[in-house]
Structures are given as structure tokens and as C-alpha cells.
Amino acid sequence: MAKVTAATGRTRRTDGAERQQHILRVAVRCFAHSGYHGTSARDIAAAAEVPLSALHYYFSNKEELFIAAFAMEFQRVANQRNQAVQGIEKLSLADLVRGYIAPLLDGDGENDNRDFLRLQSRALDDPQVAKHVFNRVVLPSTQPFLAALQGLFPKTGRADLVRCFRNMTWAVGFAPIDPLYEALTDESPYPEGSRKTRALIDLMVKYHTAGILAVTSRTAKS
Amino acid sequence: MAKVTAATGRTRRTDGAERQQHILRVAVRCFAHSGYHGTSARDIAAAAEVPLSALHYYFSNKEELFIAAFAMEFQRVANQRNQAVQGIEKLSLADLVRGYIAPLLDGDGENDNRDFLRLQSRALDDPQVAKHVFNRVVLPSTQPFLAALQGLFPKTGRADLVRCFRNMTWAVGFAPIDPLYEALTDESPYPEGSRKTRALIDLMVKYHTAGILAVTSRTAKS
DNA sequence: GTCTATAACCCGATAGAC
DNA sequence: GTCTATCGGGTTATAGAC
């Protein structure tokens, strides 16, 4: 409603680039909560306290806004991941898996990653959006992990390694936001406190390390 | 558009119950493809070649239509699953995992389960719909599997077993419809032919059996 | 660059004839 | 039970004043 602050009489954010960032951050929250089709541009404009036309000025349409918001959020998490993995010279499988999983589950201290995880699942809402997002943003960032995995298991076919990688991706992506986990255990799926976070990370690392090992150990026939 | 067949001059389906079923089947396809918010009631009516008001006559509103469509599809798959598991007296972990995974991936001969898997992911589109669908339909059907798992690993905490179960669920649910698998391998994520289907089932059984074993083998500390 | 106002269209749901 | 027609309100996107 009120798009003007009492103090200045001007709009909430004065600098253009900063306002653009502000819109993106709000868009992440809105899209993460209600999905692509479930969020209207008006919802985002209202939540960001900017007029609707500002969204179309900075981002040509709703689809581009979603992709920009997703790309920003994905890059933030990818940076955390890169920090976690770099510096380790000779990676073990467990280190590699932990390097992928841990940043997703314990955040960076300031903001947790629930909105990112939800947003990632929301990218599937629309087939065209999903195609753009996966091809432009997600796909390139998978190459380092897959290359490292292939380096550890040179005799395993790439398709099988991709299956393993995606098993891990989907499971970790939904674990902290799983509505059924809550219904089945009466606990939040998102771990509260560093102790529970560490326990969940350890569980996931154990599970997926063992899964990958089981698939790669005998690659030929069943 | 044309809601009337040339031959009879009457609407496409004459019997009421049959028409209701027809609408449900079409709704599954539509919702599976475009999601809850991405599919309009008009889309479904047009695809089913019935007037829009027929949807509101048989199902009071869009949300109930989605839940009915989901419940029908879920029950079909649950029946396949029960057939696969029953008759096995003393289940091994691998049998249990295979009993869960195989029906999802090889269908029942007539129709494959891709629409079901997509529909399942679409149930997350709207928080309220997700709550209804998970609590009313999905949650009760998980009890037999979880109870059997707990029977195999009585010393492991229930929360950890639920984590394992959901790791498997998410991974298997998205493996056959994963857009990134296609982008990374240039192959369809849905296995074509019985040979590839068997290979995928074997891979998934191996992966998740090993994952569950790794988590349950030492339950105390890392 | 930033706003208001509005165009052009689509949505779910229902009234009421048959 | 089944249809057509429509209501009231929502949507994305843009035109045009400032």
C-alpha cells in the first residue's frame, strides 16, 4: 500500500541498482513461498513497496524476474559451496559429498537456505521457466562436481554417475523443507541449532556416500 | 472447442460416473503437466471436451478436483506396490526397497507412471493443497513401509528412518522426470524399454539399500 | 527514472434456461 | 443433469504524465 516512507517523501530505495537488488530479494521470498504461478507480480511489488511498473522497468517480464532471482540466489549458494571445497587437494568421496551437502544445510550464518531450496523446487512450476533455469544456471555449475566424481570412479559410466548425483541432489534439496517429514515425526524438517544441523549433515553424507559407493563398486552387471 | 460428437449430437460421455472418471483422468494429465496454479479449470474442461460447469458439478471446486485426481492416481500406484510386496514373508532390506521402487519405475504395462510422478511433485504447488494431499492421501500409505523398516532396524531412531525413507522417496520420485538428467546425458530420464528399466531399478535399489544400511549400522554417533 | 491509470485478457464460480 | 452466459475480480503488461 504505502510505497513512500514518511521520513523522505521519496520512494523506499533511492539508488536504482540497490532498488533492483531489493526487488530481487523480495522476489526470492515470494516465489519461494507460493511458486511461480502462485505469485503475482502485484504480490512482489506490494511486498517490496514499489509500484508494479518498477518490476517491468528493471526486468522485462515476470519470467525474466524469476530467472534473475533464481540466478542470484543460486550463485550465492554456489559461492558457499566453492569455498567449502576449494583448498582440499586430494578429495575423498566423503569430502566431496560433504562439500556439496553441508553448505546447503547450514547456510552462511546470516541467512539460512530454506528460501533457496524452496525456490529451486519452484523452478519446476513452469516447463519453460524450468528449461531456462536448468540450462542457463544449474547445468554449468554441476560440471565441477561431476568431473570430480568421474575422477574418483573413472570406470563407471557417466549416466550412472549422473543418477547418483541427482539422487543426492533431490534428497538434499527436499530434506529441509519436506512437509511429510514434519507430519511423520512432529519435528521441523529444517534442523534447529548447530547440533541437529551437524547430525543431519552427517546422516546425509553417510547415506549418499554409501549409495554412490554401492553403485560404482560393481559397474558392469547386477 | 467442439464438445459434441458428430455421430450422436450428444455430449462425449453419456454416463455420469464414466464422465466423472474421464474428467479425473484428463485432470491428472493437465495438472501433471502444468501444475496446480498453471492449469486452469478451463484448460481441463477443454481437454476433456466438457463444459466448464461440468467440473463444478462433479467436483465442488478446483482444489477438490485436484485432490480427487491425485487420490485416484495415488491409489493406482499404491495398489501396484501392495501387489509387489505382499506374499513375501520375511523381507530383506533389499526386497523392501525394491518393492517400493520397482512399481514406480516400470508401471503396470498399460500406462507408465510419469504423470503420477509429475502430479506428486505438483502437489507442492499450493501450501493448502499440499497439506490436504499429504495428510489425507500420502501419509497413511507410508505407515506399512516405515513399520517394516523399523522392524528391520529396531535400534535406529524413527526420525533417522524417516530421513532415509524420504531420501529414497524424493530421489525415486524425480529420477524418471528429471530435466537435468536429460541435459547432462542427452538421454531421456525415463528408461525406454525393459532392459533400461531394469538397469535403473537395480541402480536405485543398490544406492538406497546401501544408504539405509550406512545410516542404520551405527546409529549412535558419527 | 518513476509514477498513475488503464488496456486487454483470463480466472474460478454460479445463475438460470432447458 | 447438462448446458450457455455472465459476474466480479484477478492477471500481465504498457501508455503516457511528470
Side-chain angles (χ1 to χ4, degrees):
Chain A
M1 293 293 180
K3 302 174 192 69
V4 176
T5 61
T8 64
R10 291 278 298 124
T11 50
R12 200 174 170 284
R13 303 265 170 172
T14 48
D15 181 61
E18 193 184 339
R19 198 149 98 124
Q20 194 167 351
Q21 280 286 109
H22 172 65
I23 291 171
L24 280 181
R25 278 191 292 267
V26 172
V28 167
R29 276 211 315 274
C30 292
F31 281 132
H33 187 262
S34 305
Y36 181 74
H37 292 295
T39 304
S40 71
R42 279 180 157 80
D43 293 338
I44 298 170
E49 299 179 63
V50 299
L52 174 60
S53 54
L55 270 59
H56 289 93
Y57 178 74
Y58 290 111
F59 312 95
S60 56
N61 56 41
K62 183 181 169 179
E63 183 172 338
E64 291 299 321
L65 172 57
F66 183 93
I67 294 174
F70 182 90
M72 183 189 70
E73 196 69 356
F74 190 90
Q75 204 51 54
R76 186 177 65 76
V77 176
N79 288 342
Q80 292 176 231
R81 207 195 321 281
N82 291 340
Q83 283 182 0
V85 174
Q86 77 182 4
I88 302 178
E89 290 297 296
K90 204 65 179 176
L91 283 173
S92 72
L93 175 61
D95 291 335
L96 190 62
V97 170
R98 185 175 293 271
Y100 187 91
I101 289 177
L104 280 171
L105 296 181
D106 64 6
D108 61 355
E110 189 181 354
N111 36 16
D112 68 50
N113 285 333
R114 256 175 294 190
D115 280 346
F116 167 73
L117 295 170
R118 288 187 206 278
L119 191 66
Q120 199 169 35
S121 79
R122 299 309 198 174
L124 297 164
D125 282 9
D126 184 271
Q128 190 179 339
V129 170
K131 196 182 159 197
H132 283 172
V133 158
F134 275 85
N135 285 338
R136 289 194 210 159
V137 184
V138 180
L139 196 146
S141 85
T142 64
Q143 301 297 352
F145 187 93
L146 279 174
L149 199 59
Q150 187 77 72
L152 287 172
F153 304 104
K155 291 183 180 170
T156 304
R158 177 178 167 83
D160 283 0
L161 290 182
V162 172
R163 290 284 188 200
C164 290
F165 170 58
R166 298 300 282 162
N167 274 356
M168 182 182 76
T169 306
W170 291 117
V172 175
F174 281 97
I177 58 173
D178 186 355
L180 202 60
Y181 180 85
E182 187 148 29
L184 284 167
T185 65
D186 282 320
E187 286 180 40
S188 164
Y190 197 84
E192 293 139 3
S194 61
R195 200 183 58 82
K196 289 201 174 181
T197 301
R198 245 182 298 117
L200 177 57
I201 291 173
D202 288 344
L203 184 149
M204 297 302 270
V205 169
K206 246 190 272 185
Y207 189 103
H208 294 284
T209 301
I212 294 169
L213 268 178
V215 169
T216 54
S217 63
R218 292 169 308 144
T219 179
K221 57 187 196 295
S222 62
Chain B
M1 293 295 181
K3 302 173 194 69
V4 175
T5 60
T8 65
R10 293 278 297 122
T11 51
R12 199 173 171 283
R13 302 264 170 172
T14 48
D15 181 61
E18 194 183 339
R19 201 150 94 123
Q20 195 168 350
Q21 279 285 110
H22 173 66
I23 291 172
L24 279 180
R25 277 191 292 268
V26 172
V28 166
R29 277 212 313 276
C30 292
F31 282 131
H33 187 262
S34 304
Y36 181 73
H37 292 295
T39 304
S40 71
R42 283 180 158 83
D43 292 338
I44 297 169
E49 300 179 63
V50 299
L52 174 61
S53 54
L55 271 59
H56 289 92
Y57 178 74
Y58 290 111
F59 312 93
S60 58
N61 55 42
K62 183 181 169 179
E63 184 174 337
E64 291 299 321
L65 173 56
F66 182 94
I67 294 174
F70 182 90
M72 182 189 72
E73 197 68 358
F74 190 90
Q75 204 51 53
R76 187 178 63 76
V77 175
N79 289 342
Q80 293 176 231
R81 208 197 319 281
N82 290 341
Q83 283 181 0
V85 173
Q86 78 183 4
I88 302 178
E89 291 297 298
K90 203 67 178 173
L91 283 173
S92 72
L93 175 61
D95 290 335
L96 190 62
V97 169
R98 185 175 293 271
Y100 186 92
I101 289 176
L104 281 170
L105 295 180
D106 63 7
D108 61 355
E110 189 181 352
N111 36 16
D112 69 49
N113 285 333
R114 255 173 296 189
D115 280 346
F116 166 73
L117 296 170
R118 288 186 207 278
L119 190 67
Q120 201 170 34
S121 79
R122 299 312 197 174
L124 297 164
D125 281 10
D126 183 272
Q128 191 179 338
V129 170
K131 196 182 161 194
H132 283 173
V133 158
F134 275 85
N135 286 339
R136 288 193 211 161
V137 185
V138 180
L139 197 146
S141 85
T142 64
Q143 302 295 354
F145 186 93
L146 279 175
L149 199 59
Q150 186 78 72
L152 287 173
F153 303 104
K155 292 184 182 172
T156 304
R158 178 178 165 83
D160 284 0
L161 289 181
V162 173
R163 289 287 188 199
C164 290
F165 171 58
R166 297 301 282 163
N167 275 356
M168 183 182 75
T169 306
W170 290 117
V172 175
F174 281 98
I177 58 174
D178 186 353
L180 202 60
Y181 180 86
E182 186 148 28
L184 284 167
T185 65
D186 283 322
E187 286 180 38
S188 164
Y190 197 84
E192 293 138 3
S194 61
R195 200 183 59 81
K196 289 201 175 181
T197 300
R198 247 182 298 117
L200 176 56
I201 291 173
D202 287 344
L203 183 148
M204 297 301 269
V205 170
K206 244 190 276 185
Y207 189 102
H208 295 284
T209 301
I212 294 169
L213 268 179
V215 169
T216 54
S217 62
R218 292 168 309 144
T219 179
K221 57 187 199 292
S222 61

